[in-house]
Amino acid sequence: MTAALPGAEVTGARTLSADGDGRFDSAVATLADGRELAIRVADDDESARELAGEALALRALTAGARAMLPFKAPEYIGETRLADARALVTELLPGFQIEAAMVPAGRGAAESMGTAIAAVHALPTSVVRGAGLTTRSAQESRDELARLVDAAASTGRVPARLTVRWREAVADDELWRFESTVVLGGVQSTSFLFHDDPERGPEVTGLIGWHSLAVGDPAVDLSWLSAAPDAADDVHAAYARSSDRVPDPALEVRARLLAELEFARWLVHGDSLRRTDIVDDASALLEALAEGLHEDALGVISSRNDGVDSALDALDRVPASASTGADTSMQTDAYNPNELWRDDEADDDATGDLTDGAAEAARRLQVGGLETEDLSAVRSSTSDDHTPQGRSTDEMSAGAHTHAGDGDPDGDGSPEDEAQRAARAALQRWKSSDSV
């Protein structure tokens, strides 16, 4: 700390962890003037590059740019090295985090998140270009995804229907008529720091994970909503209200496409490292995704059927090293989301006797047997208002669902409803364990 900030008088230190993937060594130092600073030390070359990107991005956020944001971004303090490892010191922002599936619908967190994302996208692109950071046009974003699809297909481990689905989406001109904006490059629910307002509920007061700051497709910062089934509609609605740009009818479709392609990115990552365990894991996730798809295609949404996208539940299993998502696990203290919003039904079922259906649902979740939703209501239309996309739960979440169409179709206390609640509880226990 004193090497990164000469003259600093450190009066105390404590651990810094949100029970994440441990990609950094990290701590909080308290200075004599009362400030608390976070220091993160890279664990490998990839995390070192991430810290370098974070440092560059935070320094690019001038006072003028920060004044445009309705929340705080960490202040860059300094850099140093610990042995051969890069270390970054930043301001520690207060607040708590909420995992994706725990974000409630309605006023409060969901609306505040949509507003915060829109504020980032409203920043002038000169902020990024002036710092020499990455800029991508719509066509360049499209071409990059085309290369990813081809690379994944070349492994021979992608189901043919997924390859066709993705290539048709990339080839659909209607999806790629958007204006590039400033993006964080992959917001996650845990990128947001909240303060709990007694009247308005949780409000975003800080945003972390700036290492992928760029100019690109705004959909990349909304793809995480596949993991937030309750809040997705309200986040999208708040984002649309707060955005001063021409509405993008294909925004949600591209966000869904990007979420699916995280599996492809994981597969390509494993194949490049010749890691059969990663390749097999990614292949299983892709098979689960393909099994849930019907004769639908990714296109501009005009209507949607209710359903779940449980194959996307496993997105959090794709480490940050294989994705563009922001890793925030080591950047701030976090409250346990279960202490903020509890699913009493899930807790009751988790502690009681499980039906056969509940036990089977829980078993499928524990071994990664994930299902997907029917997207057959997807249509190509740019003239109609688009209905916000129904979203799946994520492996980060406490929400997961059993096979669409199983059990009682009325959903009124059937064994299948109980199975779903038990499955959510089982997945939350799995997510919280050291095995993830």
Side-chain angles (χ1 to χ4, degrees), residues 348-360 362 418-419 421-423 426 429:
D348 292 342
D349 286 322
T351 55
D353 293 333
L354 299 179
T355 64
D356 291 341
E360 173 61 16
E418 183 179 356
R421 292 193 298 270
R429 292 194 301 273

Side-chain angles (χ1 to χ4, degrees), residues 334-359:
Y335 298 142
N336 184 347
N338 293 329
E339 296 174 358
L340 302 173
W341 289 278
R342 295 184 61 85
D343 186 342
D344 293 332
E345 292 181 325
D347 290 344
D348 292 342
D349 286 322
T351 55
D353 293 333
L354 299 179
T355 64
D356 291 341

Side-chain angles (χ1 to χ4, degrees), residues 58-67 127:
L58 293 181
R59 296 174 73 177
L61 292 176
T62 62
R66 290 172 182 269
V127 171

Side-chain angles (χ1 to χ4, degrees), residues 341-393:
W341 289 278
R342 295 184 61 85
D343 186 342
D344 293 332
E345 292 181 325
D347 290 344
D348 292 342
D349 286 322
T351 55
D353 293 333
L354 299 179
T355 64
D356 291 341
E360 173 61 16
R363 184 196 67 77
R364 284 206 301 268
L365 286 166
Q366 290 168 333
V367 300
L370 305 170
E371 314 296 339
T372 55
E373 91 174 287
D374 179 357
L375 298 180
S376 58
V378 173
R379 297 288 185 268
S380 293
S381 169
T382 58
S383 59
D384 297 334
D385 290 337
H386 62 287
T387 302
Q389 186 172 350
R391 300 292 180 171
S392 78
T393 57

Side-chain angles (χ1 to χ4, degrees), residues 158-377:
V158 180
R161 67 190 313 178
L162 286 182
T163 301
V164 171
R165 170 185 176 85
W166 295 338
R167 284 178 171 161
E168 287 180 346
V170 171
D172 185 355
D173 292 338
E174 295 296 322
L175 295 185
W176 306 100
R177 293 171 179 168
F178 66 85
E179 177 187 358
S180 292
T181 66
V182 174
V183 295
L184 280 169
V187 171
Q188 300 296 319
S189 64
T190 48
S191 301
F192 302 91
L193 302 178
F194 294 92
H195 168 74
D196 199 4
D197 185 278
E199 295 183 358
R200 295 185 294 271
E203 291 193 332
V204 175
T205 57
L207 191 56
I208 55 180
W210 292 79
H211 59 271
S212 295
L213 186 67
V215 170
D217 185 354
V220 72
D221 287 339
L222 294 162
S223 61
W224 68 274
L225 289 171
S226 291
D230 296 332
D233 288 357
D234 291 313
V235 174
H236 276 295
Y239 175 85
R241 288 195 302 269
S242 302
S243 178
D244 58 1
R245 293 175 294 107
V246 175
D248 177 0
L251 181 67
E252 294 181 47
V253 183
R254 292 198 312 278
R256 164 62 196 246
L257 172 64
L258 290 167
E260 291 183 12
L261 286 174
E262 283 302 296
F263 297 112
R265 204 179 298 276
W266 183 221
L267 174 65
V268 171
H269 175 70
D271 185 66
S272 66
L273 295 179
R274 300 186 184 278
R275 287 276 302 274
T276 57
D277 56 332
I278 295 177
V279 171
D280 290 344
D281 181 57
S283 179
L285 296 174
L286 289 166
E287 289 288 349
L289 177 62
E291 287 174 5
L293 300 177
H294 296 271
E295 298 304 321
D296 61 297
L298 286 162
V300 179
I301 297 175
S302 60
S303 62
R304 287 293 303 266
N305 286 338
D306 292 335
V308 295
D309 261 355
S310 297
L312 293 177
D313 295 354
L315 277 180
D316 192 44
R317 289 171 57 188
V318 182
S321 61
S323 72
T324 58
D327 172 71
T328 62
S329 61
M330 289 297 193
Q331 298 182 29
T332 184
D333 292 327
Y335 298 142
N336 184 347
N338 293 329
E339 296 174 358
L340 302 173
W341 289 278
R342 295 184 61 85
D343 186 342
D344 293 332
E345 292 181 325
D347 290 344
D348 292 342
D349 286 322
T351 55
D353 293 333
L354 299 179
T355 64
D356 291 341
E360 173 61 16
R363 184 196 67 77
R364 284 206 301 268
L365 286 166
Q366 290 168 333
V367 300
L370 305 170
E371 314 296 339
T372 55
E373 91 174 287
D374 179 357
L375 298 180
S376 58

Side-chain angles (χ1 to χ4, degrees), residues 89-132:
V89 178
T90 62
E91 174 190 17
L92 180 73
L93 298 183
F96 62 89
Q97 298 161 300
I98 308 174
E99 292 182 354
M102 306 297 288
V103 180
R107 294 179 56 193
E111 293 187 351
S112 186
M113 294 165 103
T115 301
I117 296 171
V120 173
H121 293 180
L123 288 173
T125 57
S126 59
V127 171
V128 170
R129 292 192 171 97

